[in-house]
Amino acid sequence: MSAYTLRWGIIATGKISGQFAKDLLVDPSTREVSDVAHKITAVGSRSTESAQKFIDGLKNAGKGDAWSWGVENGVLDQVKAHGTYDGVYQDSNVDAIYVGTPHNLHFQNTKDALLAGKHVLCEKPFTIDIEELEELVTIAKEKNLFLMEAVWTRFHPIAYAVDEVLKSGKLGKPKRFAADFSMEYDLDSKPDSNRFIDPALGGGSLLDMGPYPSVWAMLLVHRNPHNKDKNPKVVSSYQSIYKRSGVDLNSRWIVEWDGLCHGQLLTDLSSAGLQEATAVLQCSEGDLIIEYPPYKPETFHIVPRPARDLGAIKEKTTHHVPVHSGNHGMSYEADEVARCIRDGKTESDRMPWEESKVVQRWLDDVRKNGPSSTKDMKGNAGQ
Ligand SMILES: NC(=O)c1ccc[n+]([C@@H]2O[C@H](COP(=O)([O-])OP(=O)(O)OC[C@H]3O[C@@H](n4cnc5c(N)ncnc54)[C@H](OP(=O)(O)O)[C@@H]3O)[C@@H](O)[C@H]2O)c1
């Protein structure tokens, strides 16, 4: 069977778009994929020069760069530079759009792309609020188009390895959960226009980093075979403030899965995270601990409970499950998009709309009940 090739249009030429594009250029066989492949057929920026510069940067891959494979094997052969995002939405050589703009633009860019008849993979956080997300899902349904939030971590080999542990039942029932994404970002050295600092761009730790403790909450607790609560809610939250612009420096919140357990989630721009425990699921028979960083962990441990409460797990085991060499880790979500579109699906079973909505409601809840300058930020749904 020959591979199905998805033709991508990339919107915006910032940091993460560059990383995503490079992963599209890596040889799929390096990650044992042969059923789908990728082409980049268009790049859109606010100027043609910057779109062209982005393409030239990709074409100038060095011999040792894993993405030089794509340059040499035709992945960029038909690529066109557009000086507007709309040019990419209208490009007949594009099947799917990758949206890599700042948070506050995700809704409008995704909406415009869907209305132009394109499938969309949109960076996290999906939208500014749940109303925006509901509208995007409605449009995708009406137009029978694929739509997914780019939570790349869900598709990493370690995420599937952890699923197997949970499915085996050996950990028993979840009793408690905690996850943290923290880093020392040095906000003071950055300009007011930095997207972590500017409230108008959805600045602060919550919207940018919140999807990462959430990804483990969703994979370890929400999708756990023991969970029956489809709409777990935030029961308490706290934010501290970065005074210069009023955005949240850190956010903490507690989620309760009714009838199962609660979880503490944390994002922080002022402190480093814990290397050996970025996410912890405590269960009746033993605990599962995932190492930092939460967006791309490569090691997890299964650990016995303390002696006085010992369960069936009697020995610590360590499991190293890295992404395949040469892949940064975004190629896996791109493969998922290609497979879903090939199969005529509008959403991914691995990253379904309902689960994006659960997390979006948590982020809304923490933001709207906190003291930050993004508290009253409204999305553009209905406009
Ligand atoms: N999945 C991940 O691991 C990951 C990692 C980092 C970021 N992200 C997400 O990706 C999105 C972009 O992050 P990034 O780090 O790539 O940001 P970035 O480097 O600042 O790039 C954003 C790009 O958006 C475009 N843009 C359009 N309007 C803009 C405006 N008013 N101000 C600034 N840029 C504007 C620009 O591209 P043009 O000039 O070409 O139009 C810019 O280069 C964010 O939502 C973030 O949460 C995801």
Side-chain angles (χ1 to χ4, degrees):
M1 190 181 75
S2 64
Y4 169 82
T5 301
L6 186 65
R7 300 172 306 167
W8 289 93
I10 293 178
I11 292 304
T13 57
K15 188 167 150 258
I16 204 62
S17 293
Q19 196 60 66
F20 182 75
K22 286 174 185 167
D23 262 12
L24 292 179
L25 291 163
V26 174
D27 180 356
S29 73
T30 60
R31 53 184 185 275
E32 295 159 40
V33 168
S34 58
D35 61 328
V36 291
H38 306 280
K39 273 192 187 297
I40 302 174
T41 46
V43 172
S45 179
R46 290 169 296 173
S47 78
T48 314
E49 294 72 34
S50 123
Q52 191 57 54
K53 194 171 160 206
F54 182 90
I55 293 167
D56 293 344
L58 294 173
K59 286 185 173 169
N60 288 334
K63 275 281 164 220
D65 294 326
W67 68 94
S68 65
W69 179 89
V71 182
E72 288 156 14
N73 286 274
V75 177
L76 285 170
D77 277 4
Q78 290 138 24
V79 67
K80 183 161 184 227
H82 293 272
T84 62
Y85 300 159
D86 197 50
V88 182
Y89 310 147
Q90 303 303 332
D91 190 326
S92 58
N93 287 319
V94 169
D95 305 309
I97 307 281
Y98 169 80
V99 173
T101 49
H103 319 332
N104 61 315
L105 299 177
H106 290 178
F107 168 74
Q108 195 60 53
N109 298 151
T110 300
K111 181 175 173 178
D112 291 346
L114 290 169
L115 289 176
K118 303 299 189 202
H119 307 286
V120 178
L121 174 66
C122 175
E123 262 310 331
K124 42 59 54 178
F126 218 152
T127 51
I128 291 301
D129 57 27
I130 188 68
E131 290 78 13
E132 286 190 340
L133 179 50
E134 300 272 14
E135 186 171 328
L136 294 180
V137 168
T138 301
I139 298 170
K141 277 186 192 164
E142 278 171 7
K143 299 194 72 85
N144 197 29
L145 289 164
F146 180 80
L147 172 66
M148 188 176 97
E149 184 182 11
V151 184
W152 59 318
T153 316
R154 277 201 186 214
F155 302 94
H156 288 177
I158 193 171
Y160 291 102
V162 163
D163 274 359
E164 289 307 312
V165 175
L166 298 181
K167 272 192 238 153
S168 76
K170 67 178 165 196
L171 293 179
K173 200 171 170 187
K175 297 189 69 90
R176 201 158 72 163
F177 169 80
D180 168 15
F181 183 14
S182 299
M183 59 181 176
E184 284 176 6
Y185 187 65
D186 189 16
L187 291 167
D188 291 348
S189 69
K190 307 285 190 301
D192 291 347
S193 58
N194 180 281
R195 68 177 183 77
F196 281 90
I197 295 172
D198 187 351
L201 298 179
S205 77
L206 177 70
L207 287 177
D208 193 86
M209 298 154 80
Y212 290 113
S214 302
V215 74
W216 293 107
M218 296 306 285
L219 290 176
L220 299 183
V221 187
H222 195 78
R223 290 173 75 100
N224 192 296
H226 289 277
N227 179 40
K228 304 280 178 277
D229 183 358
K230 294 295 164 210
N231 191 17
K233 295 192 179 61
V234 174
V235 291
S236 172
S237 64
Y238 168 83
Q239 293 184 301
S240 73
I241 295 306
Y242 180 59
K243 291 200 173 56
R244 183 170 140 210
S245 69
V247 298
D248 71 292
L249 191 58
N250 63 54
S251 291
R252 295 153 205 265
W253 64 105
I254 295 175
V255 173
E256 190 168 302
W257 284 267
D258 191 31
L260 187 63
C261 70
H262 64 267
Q264 300 178 61
L265 291 84
L266 165 61
T267 56
D268 193 351
L269 282 162
S270 66
S271 308
L274 285 168
Q275 172 57 36
E276 292 190 351
T278 205
V280 177
L281 180 70
Q282 292 182 257
C283 298
S284 55
E285 303 301 333
D287 302 336
L288 190 147
I289 301 181
I290 295 180
E291 289 198 8
Y292 194 91
Y295 49 85
K296 189 182 161 184
E298 301 202 317
T299 302
F300 72 92
H301 309 273
I302 296 174
V303 183
R305 285 152 50 100
R308 58 169 290 170
D309 295 311
L310 195 64
I313 303 288
K314 303 282 195 274
E315 276 182 18
K316 177 177 175 180
T317 53
T318 293
H319 309 258
H320 189 57
V321 196
V323 300
H324 293 81
S325 175
N327 293 269
H328 178 64
M330 307 187 83
S331 34
Y332 303 98
E333 63 180 354
D335 294 339
E336 170 75 358
V337 176
R339 289 190 184 107
C340 288
I341 292 172
R342 175 197 64 190
D343 297 343
K345 293 182 175 175
T346 52
E347 63 178 313
S348 159
D349 298 334
R350 183 80 186 157
M351 181 70 252
W353 296 332
E354 273 315 310
E355 294 188 12
S356 283
K357 286 184 193 176
V358 167
V359 173
Q360 192 73 50
R361 284 191 205 100
W362 295 348
L363 302 183
D364 279 17
D365 200 304
V366 178
R367 181 172 60 82
K368 289 177 182 172
N369 286 301
S372 86
S373 50
T374 59
K375 174 187 174 79
D376 297 322
M377 187 174 191
K378 289 232 179 324
N380 291 305
Q383 290 168 37

